[in-house]
Amino acid sequence: MSPDTRLPPPRTELREDLRLVATMINAGARVLDVGCGEGELLSFLVHHKGVDGRGMELSQGGVNSCVRHGLSVIQGDADNDLHDYPSHAFDYVVLSQTLQATRHPHEVLRHLVRIGRHAIVSIPNFGHWYMRLRLVTEGRMPRTLVLPHHWYDTPNIHLCTILDFIDLCDAEGIKVERSVTLDAQGRAYRLNPRGRLANLLAAQGLFLLAGKNG
């Protein structure tokens, strides 16, 4: 028998926002992490919460890294490959800081709440006060810790505010079961995500969602 060539799980510390995501997921749940990167969250969930974890990642490098660490991850695109998953195949489907980079975010969101009993989605908030200030004072597309790219090389094509995201959920009949507003470092604010103050002060939003039949 050939020796096990898998690497041990990475010891990378989870980002604060990913730690909050992990608190929303029950131990032993079935989880699909869409856009899982190199598998930091998925590895934590598998090794610390005993989940049955699967992942989808667009970059081949990310897939290779996940597989080397023993994670079950396939190469795939949220815009094109989610329709292959059956309804209610998972307890949770996670999409972290990726929705704004999809071509059809409303369709992706529909698939998330169809595939999972719950969906966990986080987004950068383009309504944050620093974004507004930079646009008003400098007249240029702002760059921040959460949105670090230049306008010409960014993967983000559908930026929105927290209120925009809430409006989309309402329009699609998607229930917001829990919501958390975050600063740029991923630390939680105690603000109502449906309020204008959250839309002004929060750098990110994190949402636990359920579909019409969830």
Side-chain angles (χ1 to χ4, degrees), residues 100-136:
Q100 73 280 355
T102 63
R103 290 189 297 277
H104 305 290
H106 58 298
E107 295 179 5
V108 170
L109 203 57
R110 291 172 195 161
H111 279 303
L112 297 183
V113 296
R114 176 186 63 79
I115 297 167
R117 291 176 52 246
H118 305 276
I120 300 175
V121 178
S122 65
I123 60 166
N125 176 29
F126 203 70
H128 185 237
W129 68 267
Y130 184 75
M131 300 285 193
R132 306 185 195 196
L133 181 64
R134 290 292 296 271
L135 281 170
V136 170

Coordinates of all heavy atoms in Angstrom, one line a residue, residues 100-136:
Q100 N -20.2 39.1 -5.2 CA -19.9 40.3 -6.0 C -19.1 40.0 -7.2 O -19.0 40.8 -8.1 CB -19.3 41.4 -5.2 CG -17.9 41.2 -4.8 CD -17.7 40.3 -3.6 OE1 -18.6 39.8 -3.0 NE2 -16.4 40.0 -3.3
A101 N -18.4 38.8 -7.2 CA -17.5 38.4 -8.4 C -18.3 37.5 -9.4 O -17.7 37.1 -10.4 CB -16.3 37.8 -7.9
T102 N -19.5 37.2 -9.1 CA -20.3 36.4 -10.0 C -21.0 37.2 -11.1 O -21.3 38.4 -10.9 CB -21.3 35.5 -9.3 OG1 -22.3 36.4 -8.6 CG2 -20.6 34.7 -8.2
R103 N -21.3 36.6 -12.2 CA -21.9 37.3 -13.3 C -23.4 37.5 -13.0 O -24.0 38.5 -13.5 CB -21.7 36.6 -14.6 CG -20.3 36.6 -15.1 CD -20.1 36.1 -16.5 NE -20.5 34.7 -16.6 CZ -19.7 33.7 -16.3 NH1 -18.4 33.9 -15.9 NH2 -20.0 32.4 -16.4
H104 N -24.0 36.5 -12.4 CA -25.5 36.6 -12.2 C -25.8 36.3 -10.7 O -26.2 35.2 -10.3 CB -26.2 35.5 -13.0 CG -25.9 35.7 -14.5 ND1 -26.4 36.7 -15.2 CD2 -25.1 34.9 -15.3 CE1 -26.0 36.6 -16.5 NE2 -25.2 35.5 -16.6
P105 N -25.5 37.3 -9.8 CA -25.6 37.0 -8.4 C -27.0 36.6 -7.9 O -27.1 35.8 -7.0 CB -25.2 38.4 -7.7 CG -25.3 39.4 -8.8 CD -25.0 38.6 -10.1
H106 N -28.1 37.1 -8.6 CA -29.4 36.7 -8.1 C -29.6 35.2 -8.4 O -30.3 34.5 -7.6 CB -30.5 37.6 -8.8 CG -30.4 37.6 -10.3 ND1 -29.3 38.0 -11.1 CD2 -31.3 37.1 -11.2 CE1 -29.6 37.8 -12.3 NE2 -30.8 37.3 -12.5
E107 N -29.1 34.7 -9.5 CA -29.3 33.3 -9.8 C -28.4 32.4 -8.9 O -28.8 31.4 -8.5 CB -28.9 33.0 -11.3 CG -29.9 33.7 -12.3 CD -29.5 33.4 -13.7 OE1 -28.5 32.7 -14.0 OE2 -30.2 34.0 -14.6
V108 N -27.2 32.9 -8.6 CA -26.4 32.2 -7.7 C -27.0 32.1 -6.3 O -27.0 31.0 -5.7 CB -25.0 32.9 -7.6 CG1 -24.2 32.3 -6.4 CG2 -24.2 32.7 -8.9
L109 N -27.6 33.2 -5.9 CA -28.3 33.2 -4.6 C -29.5 32.2 -4.6 O -29.7 31.5 -3.6 CB -28.8 34.6 -4.3 CG -29.0 35.0 -2.8 CD1 -27.7 34.8 -2.0 CD2 -29.5 36.4 -2.8
R110 N -30.2 32.1 -5.6 CA -31.3 31.1 -5.7 C -30.8 29.7 -5.6 O -31.4 28.9 -4.9 CB -32.0 31.3 -7.1 CG -32.8 32.6 -7.2 CD -33.3 32.7 -8.6 NE -33.8 34.0 -9.0 CZ -34.0 34.4 -10.2 NH1 -33.7 33.6 -11.2 NH2 -34.4 35.6 -10.5
H111 N -29.7 29.4 -6.2 CA -29.1 28.1 -6.2 C -28.6 27.8 -4.7 O -28.8 26.6 -4.3 CB -28.0 27.9 -7.1 CG -28.4 27.6 -8.6 ND1 -29.2 26.6 -8.9 CD2 -28.1 28.3 -9.7 CE1 -29.4 26.6 -10.2 NE2 -28.8 27.6 -10.7
L112 N -28.0 28.7 -4.1 CA -27.5 28.5 -2.7 C -28.6 28.0 -1.8 O -28.5 27.1 -1.0 CB -26.9 29.8 -2.2 CG -25.6 30.3 -2.9 CD1 -25.1 31.5 -2.2 CD2 -24.6 29.3 -3.1
V113 N -29.8 28.7 -1.8 CA -30.9 28.4 -0.9 C -31.7 27.2 -1.4 O -32.5 26.6 -0.7 CB -31.8 29.6 -0.6 CG1 -31.0 30.7 0.1 CG2 -32.4 30.1 -1.9
R114 N -31.5 26.8 -2.6 CA -32.1 25.5 -3.1 C -31.2 24.3 -2.7 O -31.8 23.3 -2.3 CB -32.2 25.6 -4.7 CG -32.7 24.3 -5.3 CD -32.6 24.3 -6.8 NE -31.2 24.4 -7.3 CZ -30.4 23.4 -7.4 NH1 -30.8 22.2 -7.0 NH2 -29.2 23.6 -7.9
I115 N -29.9 24.4 -2.9 CA -29.0 23.3 -2.6 C -28.9 23.1 -1.1 O -28.9 21.9 -0.6 CB -27.6 23.6 -3.1 CG1 -27.7 23.7 -4.7 CG2 -26.6 22.5 -2.7 CD1 -26.4 24.3 -5.3
G116 N -28.9 24.1 -0.3 CA -28.8 24.0 1.2 C -30.0 24.3 1.9 O -30.8 25.2 1.5
R117 N -30.2 23.7 3.1 CA -31.3 24.1 4.0 C -31.1 25.5 4.4 O -32.0 26.3 4.7 CB -31.4 23.2 5.2 CG -31.8 21.8 4.8 CD -31.8 20.8 6.1 NE -32.5 21.4 7.2 CZ -31.9 21.8 8.3 NH1 -30.6 21.6 8.5 NH2 -32.6 22.2 9.3
H118 N -29.8 25.9 4.5 CA -29.4 27.3 4.9 C -28.2 27.7 3.9 O -27.5 26.8 3.5 CB -28.9 27.4 6.3 CG -29.9 26.9 7.3 ND1 -30.9 27.6 7.8 CD2 -30.0 25.7 7.9 CE1 -31.6 27.0 8.7 NE2 -31.1 25.7 8.8
A119 N -28.1 29.0 3.7 CA -27.0 29.5 3.0 C -26.3 30.6 3.9 O -27.1 31.3 4.6 CB -27.4 30.1 1.6
I120 N -25.0 30.6 3.9 CA -24.3 31.7 4.6 C -23.5 32.5 3.6 O -22.6 31.9 2.9 CB -23.4 31.0 5.7 CG1 -24.2 30.2 6.7 CG2 -22.6 32.1 6.4 CD1 -23.3 29.4 7.6
V121 N -23.8 33.7 3.5 CA -23.2 34.6 2.5 C -22.6 35.8 3.2 O -23.3 36.5 4.0 CB -24.3 35.1 1.5 CG1 -23.7 36.0 0.4 CG2 -24.9 33.8 0.8
S122 N -21.4 36.2 2.8 CA -20.8 37.4 3.2 C -20.5 38.3 2.0 O -20.1 37.8 1.0 CB -19.6 37.2 4.1 OG -18.6 36.6 3.4
I123 N -20.6 39.6 2.2 CA -20.3 40.5 1.1 C -19.6 41.8 1.6 O -19.7 42.1 2.8 CB -21.6 41.0 0.5 CG1 -22.5 41.7 1.5 CG2 -22.4 39.9 -0.2 CD1 -23.7 42.6 0.9
P124 N -18.8 42.4 0.8 CA -18.2 43.7 1.1 C -19.3 44.7 0.9 O -20.2 44.6 0.0 CB -17.1 43.9 0.1 CG -17.5 43.1 -1.1 CD -18.3 41.9 -0.5
N125 N -19.3 45.8 1.8 CA -20.4 46.8 1.7 C -19.8 48.0 1.0 O -19.0 48.8 1.5 CB -20.8 47.2 3.1 CG -21.8 48.3 3.1 OD1 -22.6 48.5 2.2 ND2 -21.8 49.1 4.2
F126 N -20.3 48.3 -0.2 CA -19.9 49.4 -1.0 C -20.5 50.7 -0.5 O -20.2 51.8 -1.0 CB -20.2 49.2 -2.5 CG -19.3 50.1 -3.4 CD1 -17.9 49.7 -3.5 CD2 -19.8 51.1 -4.1 CE1 -17.1 50.5 -4.3 CE2 -19.0 51.9 -4.9 CZ -17.6 51.6 -5.0
G127 N -21.4 50.6 0.4 CA -22.0 51.8 1.0 C -21.3 52.3 2.3 O -21.7 53.3 2.9
H128 N -20.2 51.7 2.6 CA -19.4 52.1 3.8 C -18.9 53.5 3.7 O -18.6 54.0 2.6 CB -18.2 51.1 3.9 CG -17.3 51.3 5.1 ND1 -16.0 51.6 5.1 CD2 -17.7 51.3 6.4 CE1 -15.5 51.7 6.3 NE2 -16.5 51.5 7.1
W129 N -18.8 54.2 4.8 CA -18.5 55.6 4.8 C -17.2 56.0 4.1 O -17.1 57.0 3.4 CB -18.5 56.2 6.2 CG -17.4 55.7 7.1 CD1 -17.4 54.6 7.9 CD2 -16.0 56.2 7.2 NE1 -16.1 54.4 8.5 CE2 -15.3 55.4 8.1 CE3 -15.4 57.3 6.5 CZ2 -14.0 55.7 8.3 CZ3 -14.1 57.6 6.8 CH2 -13.4 56.8 7.7
Y130 N -16.2 55.1 4.2 CA -14.9 55.4 3.6 C -15.0 55.3 2.1 O -14.4 56.1 1.4 CB -13.9 54.3 4.1 CG -12.5 54.6 3.6 CD1 -11.7 55.6 4.1 CD2 -11.9 53.8 2.6 CE1 -10.4 55.9 3.7 CE2 -10.7 54.1 2.1 CZ -9.9 55.1 2.7 OH -8.7 55.3 2.2
M131 N -15.8 54.4 1.6 CA -16.1 54.3 0.1 C -16.7 55.6 -0.3 O -16.3 56.2 -1.3 CB -17.0 53.2 -0.2 CG -16.5 51.8 0.2 SD -15.3 51.3 -0.9 CE -15.2 49.5 -0.4
R132 N -17.7 56.1 0.4 CA -18.4 57.3 0.0 C -17.4 58.5 0.0 O -17.4 59.4 -0.9 CB -19.6 57.6 0.9 CG -20.6 56.4 1.0 CD -21.8 56.8 1.8 NE -22.6 55.6 2.2 CZ -23.8 55.7 2.6 NH1 -24.4 56.8 2.8 NH2 -24.5 54.6 3.0
L133 N -16.6 58.6 1.1 CA -15.7 59.7 1.3 C -14.7 59.8 0.2 O -14.4 60.8 -0.4 CB -15.0 59.6 2.6 CG -14.0 60.7 3.0 CD1 -14.8 62.1 3.1 CD2 -13.3 60.4 4.3
R134 N -14.1 58.6 -0.2 CA -13.1 58.6 -1.2 C -13.7 59.0 -2.6 O -13.1 59.7 -3.4 CB -12.5 57.2 -1.3 CG -11.6 56.8 -0.2 CD -10.3 57.6 -0.1 NE -9.5 57.4 -1.3 CZ -8.5 56.5 -1.4 NH1 -8.3 55.6 -0.4 NH2 -7.8 56.3 -2.5
L135 N -14.9 58.5 -2.9 CA -15.6 58.9 -4.1 C -15.8 60.4 -4.2 O -15.6 61.1 -5.2 CB -16.9 58.1 -4.3 CG -16.7 56.7 -4.8 CD1 -18.1 56.0 -4.7 CD2 -16.2 56.6 -6.2
V136 N -16.3 61.0 -3.1 CA -16.6 62.4 -3.0 C -15.4 63.3 -3.1 O -15.3 64.2 -3.8 CB -17.5 62.7 -1.8 CG1 -17.6 64.2 -1.6 CG2 -18.9 62.1 -1.9

